[in-house]
Amino acid sequence: MKKRLFTRKAGFFGSIAGSRTLLPFLIAMLAGSATMMQSCRKADFDSNKVSAGSDQNAVTGAYADLQLVADNFVSPVTVVDPKDGTKRLFVVDQVGKVWIISDGKTLSTPFIDVSSRMVTLMPDYDERGLLGLAFHPNFKNNGKFYVYYTAPPRGKNWDNLSRISEFRVSSDPDKADMSSERVLLEVNQPQFNHEGGTIAFGPDNYLYISIGDGGNADDIGPGHVNDWYTKNEGGNGQDVKQNLLGNILRIDVDKSGDADHAYGIPADNPFAGKVGKDEIYAYGFRNPYRFSFDMGGSHKLLVGDAGQSLYEEIDDVQKGGNYGWNVKEGFHCFNTSNDLKERNACPVEDSAGNLLLDPVLEVKNYANPEGGGPRTIAIVGGNVYRGKSMPKLYGKYVFGFLSADDEEAEGQVVVAGPSVNGIWPFEVLKLKSFPDDIGQWLKGFGQDQNGEVYITATTELGPQGNTGKVWKLVPAQ
């Protein structure tokens, strides 16, 4: 008999429903005024019709596989290429270490270890830790790189502190100078979940940062401010004035701000010089755990936003966009009174007249009482494939499902493609060596400078053990 891990919805970097109890987890992952209403658009989109059974832009056949690149990590969450010509890959392990893969081997000592500067992690399940890494666009010459990790809280009312820091490489190119830390940004976090965690430089050379809504569930509770949509009580996702939670941020690391900011604000940020936090680039997110920029095409910013209990989503993020949480979940009207039941109607825009933007892709959450498939515990944002080894995938968005259900590690690799009607069809990618699922929790993605895609996974949901692996997406042999 399978051991049920969670009583409701589980999900890596999702949402534990207001409880710090670990066994069992209660996880619930992973233009005008509010009087203008709309139907929840349920008839406009049916995730069952644009799934594995769809032939529109479908990628079919077991022509793909996974090749093991490295293992013995604890909880790897992403792979980053410094794009400095050294062909090294840097693996971010949630427990606080970044490891280098060079010439097919993992170096014996970490590139950086910030574990002593982090909050203590819970081994069975945690959404804190070392979550992101980004190399300066001029890293080859200036040696600067950036990390996102969760530090101990500032005061008893907070759980942790999301910290973005700049470091420099030491005289040894495979080791960081630990004395070089320059803290850029810190954000108080009320809960241990919904940390977001991705940092990446965009094509404009600004640093983008994803931060979740503060945790708990439904974007309500301690640490969640009141916003304009009083019917749903919340929350940080719709607020742009009081804190930086529930947003994608954009900052200029090459400029210094005022006495309170170690960075500059891009002049075209949507709230720069206006009412609202200057750092915000886009808002209305629940937990934008993984995002990436397309290496080609129009360099889209694609964000995987983990849902509550009904729907998961992928967003094509535009500057100043409001992506709906917690007014909406996916294409649907969200209900804080009962997050397993949609509201019949909700606003189409926020109090400032900004439209609530729909995702480009929606997936049912495993807890959705409607059933059907495919479903997932939580969505994990990935990368647009721009490599040469798999031409069938070129220009397709490769992302993942943490797991197909809440009982065992059954992560899946998923592929989607743009559609003429704006809603992207998707399907679970058939892998030769993994016909059903990868047999692990799928925790993250990465991409090298050649456009090839990597997957990080582990058989442990929480940051413990040494079952973490890095796989490369390759053609089936």
Side-chain angles (χ1 to χ4, degrees):
M1 179 180 294
K2 292 182 178 180
K3 179 181 178 181
R4 180 170 292 276
L5 296 175
F6 315 115
T7 58
R8 278 189 62 194
K9 177 194 174 193
F12 194 73
F13 298 107
S15 169
I16 295 182
S19 172
R20 294 297 297 269
T21 303
L22 293 180
L23 294 173
F25 300 120
L26 300 177
I27 297 182
M29 279 283 304
L30 242 146
S33 69
T35 59
M36 296 181 65
M37 309 299 283
Q38 67 169 350
S39 70
C40 60
R41 294 189 57 190
K42 187 173 180 180
D44 292 346
F45 180 80
D46 183 342
S47 60
N48 294 328
K49 291 181 180 179
V50 286
S51 61
S54 174
D55 60 1
Q56 182 185 8
N57 289 339
V59 181
T60 59
Y63 65 89
D65 210 347
L66 296 181
Q67 178 186 78
L68 183 64
V69 175
D71 56 9
N72 292 315
F73 304 107
V74 181
S75 182
V77 297
T78 190
V79 178
V80 184
D81 188 325
K83 299 179 181 179
D84 61 352
T86 62
K87 299 182 180 180
R88 296 175 298 172
L89 293 176
F90 289 68
V91 182
V92 178
D93 200 323
Q94 185 186 358
V95 294
K97 299 177 181 181
V98 175
W99 298 92
I100 297 177
I101 301 174
S102 181
D103 294 325
K105 296 181 180 180
T106 305
L107 301 190
S108 59
T109 56
F111 172 67
I112 190 171
D113 182 352
V114 295
S115 57
S116 64
R117 308 181 190 195
M118 295 189 336
V119 67
T120 301
L121 302 184
M122 300 178 290
D124 291 312
Y125 183 84
D126 212 316
E127 298 183 12
R128 303 168 298 177
L130 177 59
L131 304 177
L133 169 69
F135 292 91
H136 192 282
N138 195 30
F139 171 73
K140 184 176 181 179
N141 296 312
N142 64 23
K144 294 180 180 181
F145 65 95
Y146 304 82
V147 295
Y148 180 142
Y149 67 91
T150 55
R154 294 185 293 202
K156 63 181 180 180
N157 293 327
W158 304 103
D159 179 88
N160 69 89
L161 185 68
S162 288
R163 177 178 290 164
I164 313 299
S165 287
E166 176 189 275
F167 284 86
R168 292 177 182 266
V169 71
S170 70
S171 58
D172 181 344
D174 293 330
K175 291 184 180 179
D177 178 357
M178 296 303 297
S179 67
S180 68
E181 182 173 16
R182 182 171 74 101
V183 176
L184 296 182
L185 176 67
E186 293 180 327
V187 179
N188 292 318
Q189 290 279 1
Q191 303 288 339
F192 77 105
N193 54 349
H194 297 196
E195 304 287 339
T198 299
I199 56 176
F201 283 91
D204 51 14
N205 290 335
Y206 294 134
L207 184 65
Y208 291 69
I209 304 160
S210 68
I211 298 185
D213 69 5
N216 198 28
D218 302 336
D219 200 5
I220 61 177
H224 297 258
V225 301
N226 293 324
D227 71 8
W228 59 271
Y229 188 47
T230 57
K231 194 171 186 177
N232 265 4
E233 304 180 51
N236 293 327
Q238 287 299 309
D239 169 70
V240 297
K241 302 175 184 178
Q242 301 175 69
N243 60 51
L244 295 177
L245 299 172
N247 305 313
I248 304 294
L249 312 179
R250 183 174 72 156
I251 63 175
D252 186 346
V253 301
D254 293 323
K255 293 182 179 179
S256 58
D258 54 31
D260 298 322
H261 299 90
Y263 50 85
I265 298 295
D268 63 340
N269 270 13
F271 298 104
K274 303 175 184 178
V275 176
K277 294 288 186 179
D278 291 348
E279 296 88 344
I280 296 174
Y281 180 80
Y283 56 107
F285 299 98
R286 182 177 179 273
N287 187 26
Y289 163 54
R290 298 290 91 174
F291 73 76
S292 68
F293 289 93
D294 184 356
M295 292 176 62
S298 60
H299 305 294
K300 288 179 180 293
L301 170 54
L302 298 172
V303 176
D305 195 17
Q308 181 66 55
S309 299
L310 296 179
Y311 301 100
E312 311 286 315
E313 67 184 74
I314 299 292
D315 297 302
D316 179 357
V317 173
Q318 309 295 323
K319 182 177 66 178
N322 181 347
Y323 291 85
W325 177 256
N326 70 355
V327 182
K328 297 174 69 178
E329 183 183 27
F331 290 89
H332 308 262
C333 297
F334 186 69
N335 184 358
T336 54
S337 300
N338 181 354
D339 59 35
L340 288 172
K341 182 178 176 60
E342 301 170 22
R343 291 195 185 279
N344 291 326
C346 57
V348 299
E349 55 189 32
D350 63 24
S351 58
N354 300 306
L355 290 175
L356 304 183
L357 301 178
D358 286 332
V360 294
L361 186 155
E362 178 188 89
V363 184
K364 282 185 179 179
N365 180 266
Y366 184 79
N368 194 312
E370 287 187 356
R375 295 182 294 167
T376 180
I377 303 305
I379 204 164
V380 181
N383 300 83
V384 176
Y385 182 83
R386 294 294 180 184
K388 294 181 179 180
S389 66
M390 305 189 69
K392 287 185 179 180
L393 280 181
Y394 191 84
K396 300 287 186 179
Y397 182 60
V398 182
F399 66 104
F401 295 163
L402 167 72
S403 184
D405 67 29
D406 66 347
E407 295 179 346
E408 292 185 348
E410 298 178 354
Q412 294 177 312
V413 182
V414 191
V415 176
S419 174
V420 292
N421 67 0
I423 302 172
W424 295 8
F426 67 91
E427 71 165 3
V428 175
L429 183 61
K430 298 174 183 177
L431 301 168
K432 183 178 179 180
S433 301
F434 306 90
D436 298 316
D437 58 74
I438 66 173
Q440 302 162 85
W441 303 97
L442 194 159
K443 294 188 174 181
F445 287 83
Q447 190 166 36
D448 64 26
Q449 61 184 4
N450 296 319
E452 302 295 340
V453 170
Y454 298 79
I455 294 155
T456 61
T458 173
T459 58
E460 296 286 347
L461 180 60
Q464 62 178 320
N466 64 345
T467 64
K469 293 179 170 61
V470 174
W471 302 89
K472 184 178 183 180
L473 192 60
V474 296
Q477 298 298 318

